[in-house]
Amino acid sequence: MRILISGASLAGPSLAFWLVRAGHEVTVVERARRPRTGGSPIDVRGPAVDVAERMGLLPAVQRARVHTEGIECVDARGRRTASLPAGVYAKAGDRDVELERADLVDLLYGATKDDAGYRFEDSVTALEQDADGVDVTFLHGRPERFDLVVGADGTHSVVRRLVFGEESRFLRHLGLYVSIVGVDPELGRENWGVLHNVPGRLAGVYRYHGKADAVFMFRSPELSYDHHDLDQQRKLLTDTYAGGGWRVPALLDAVRAADDLYFDAVNQVHLPTWSRGRVTLVGDSGYCASPLSGMGTTLAMVGAARLADALAAGLDGAFERYEQAHRPLVATAQASVSHGANMLVPATGLALWRRNQLTKVIPLVMAARRMFRS
Ligand SMILES: Cc1cc2nc3c(=O)[nH]c(=O)nc-3n(C[C@H](O)[C@H](O)[C@H](O)COP(=O)(O)OP(=O)(O)OC[C@H]3O[C@@H](n4cnc5c(N)ncnc54)[C@H](O)[C@@H]3O)c2cc1C
């Protein structure tokens, strides 16, 4: 079949990997000039580790591992108020891998770029399907007909909008915004996440492999801004964090200087079905669980493999089989986020104090749990 995938981040290239091996002719269209490599380290978890192994990429994924030693919280003057070493929350025998998002993007793109046709700086603008195929119009390229179209174009998916309707019907705002931007490594502590909170706002620096990312997360009702306008996103951040203590002024300087940053609402995507006719969705476009879940990469890689497996058994009923196989993992991931926001971005001074006290107790609780298990 001729299959079009929209989006060349994690879900798109993961799916392309399987489809070209199954003998399909695959085109991947990506709006950006090249695969976007920003972002903080991400996790390849549980079933996604098995998928990486099936792809033959696990050794490379493991070589790229980031060795986070823990998280510490600091006050406005940089004094430590709480600390959580990674040993406390890592499970023994855990095969999960934390690695730079850029490394995983490079691996997946590298494993597919010779076999799939990648087209950068382009986007789908219209889709019209009948029983036998989908006619696709592009912003730049000439119109083409495909047997299937897959939206792997993230939370603000254009494929989803064109086929299922306006995104406001499917996005569930979790009351937070998140932004990630590369900063001077001198601002961070190697292999640690250093976090500074005031009520409703978090600013932090994660440093690994001698590089560092600033992470901003703040509570806010839905904001109206243009997702493609970097200046607006920079201004939202600098206004929100103006007057901040600790290293916030230096982090905001990096925001002002950045030519690419990740900025988005912390959203989930909920759809009653991920497929319509000859169009389906994979990854965040269909079932984003939000960065609070730590499961975005896993859902994308496992979803892509399950969709490819379902197609390998025949086109008839393939999308139903894909949904049946993948829904339970998505539901668990989406339900897992309820406490994350309160831990990361406590809303009030009292909640912040409680969070810091809790962080002191967690190592004891975890040690006790380990004792009972052994
Ligand atoms: C630059 C960047 C940084 C990120 N940083 C983090 C992070 O630090 N922590 C975290 O938990 N998650 C982060 N994410 C999200 C994370 O990658 C996803 O949650 C998850 O891995 C699922 O991937 P996905 O491929 O489904 O979606 P995404 O990773 O969101 O990828 C969607 C892709 O589609 C492309 N696209 C969008 N619109 C169009 C269009 N109209 N036509 C063609 N292509 C289009 C985008 O440019 C992007 O490459 C980041 C995403 C991006 C793009």
Side-chain angles (χ1 to χ4, degrees), residues 108-129:
L108 292 169
Y109 176 60
T112 50
K113 68 178 176 16
D114 295 335
D115 305 314
Y118 277 87
R119 287 190 207 160
F120 291 97
E121 292 191 284
D122 206 352
S123 170
V124 172
T125 53
L127 293 166
E128 205 166 307
Q129 55 174 321

Side-chain angles (χ1 to χ4, degrees), residues 197-242:
N197 281 90
V198 294
R201 291 200 297 278
L202 159 86
V205 179
Y206 282 85
R207 184 175 146 158
Y208 45 88
H209 296 169
K211 294 181 267 181
D213 291 319
V215 179
F216 301 91
M217 207 178 243
F218 60 94
R219 290 179 180 263
S220 165
E222 275 188 84
L223 299 166
S224 157
Y225 68 97
D226 179 348
H227 296 294
H228 307 308
D229 187 334
L230 193 58
D231 282 337
Q232 276 190 41
Q233 297 170 19
R234 283 199 195 104
K235 183 162 168 26
L236 273 169
L237 276 174
T238 47
D239 287 355
T240 304
Y241 284 85

Side-chain angles (χ1 to χ4, degrees), residues 6-13 29-32 34-42 101 122-124 152-159 178 180 228 260-262 282-285 288 290-292 294-298 300:
S6 172
S9 171
L10 298 175
V29 59
E30 163 63 49
R31 199 188 46 214
R34 60 184 95 87
R36 295 185 67 200
T37 50
S40 59
I42 39 88
R101 184 178 168 280
D122 206 352
S123 170
V124 172
D153 40 6
T155 318
H156 305 289
S157 167
V158 70
V159 170
V178 62
I180 318 272
H228 307 308
D260 190 14
L261 59 81
Y262 176 63
V282 68
D284 277 5
S285 64
C288 177
S290 92
L292 290 177
M295 286 291 284
T297 305
T298 297

Side-chain angles (χ1 to χ4, degrees), residues 174 268 289-294 332-342:
L174 301 185
Q268 288 191 338
S290 92
L292 290 177
S293 73
T332 308
Q334 291 189 326
S336 73
V337 300
S338 53
H339 299 301
N342 291 336

Side-chain angles (χ1 to χ4, degrees), residues 159-302:
V159 170
R160 190 187 61 223
R161 179 170 56 74
L162 292 170
V163 175
F164 294 86
E166 281 310 314
E167 69 175 36
S168 56
R169 292 169 53 197
F170 310 113
L171 292 196
R172 203 172 284 175
H173 181 53
L174 301 185
L176 292 162
Y177 280 80
V178 62
S179 183
I180 318 272
V181 63
V183 293
D184 181 350
E186 290 300 313
L187 294 167
R189 174 179 172 196
E190 186 69 11
N191 292 330
W192 281 78
V194 183
L195 308 179
H196 170 59
N197 281 90
V198 294
R201 291 200 297 278
L202 159 86
V205 179
Y206 282 85
R207 184 175 146 158
Y208 45 88
H209 296 169
K211 294 181 267 181
D213 291 319
V215 179
F216 301 91
M217 207 178 243
F218 60 94
R219 290 179 180 263
S220 165
E222 275 188 84
L223 299 166
S224 157
Y225 68 97
D226 179 348
H227 296 294
H228 307 308
D229 187 334
L230 193 58
D231 282 337
Q232 276 190 41
Q233 297 170 19
R234 283 199 195 104
K235 183 162 168 26
L236 273 169
L237 276 174
T238 47
D239 287 355
T240 304
Y241 284 85
W246 183 57
R247 293 176 177 157
V248 168
L251 304 186
L252 292 183
D253 285 343
V255 167
R256 288 185 197 96
D259 57 8
D260 190 14
L261 59 81
Y262 176 63
F263 183 94
D264 207 347
V266 177
N267 282 322
Q268 288 191 338
V269 174
H270 292 261
L271 279 107
T273 172
W274 304 328
S275 313
R276 189 165 285 173
R278 287 175 168 265
V279 180
T280 192
L281 304 170
V282 68
D284 277 5
S285 64
Y287 36 78
C288 177
S290 92
L292 290 177
S293 73
M295 286 291 284
T297 305
T298 297
L299 293 183
M301 290 178 71
V302 177

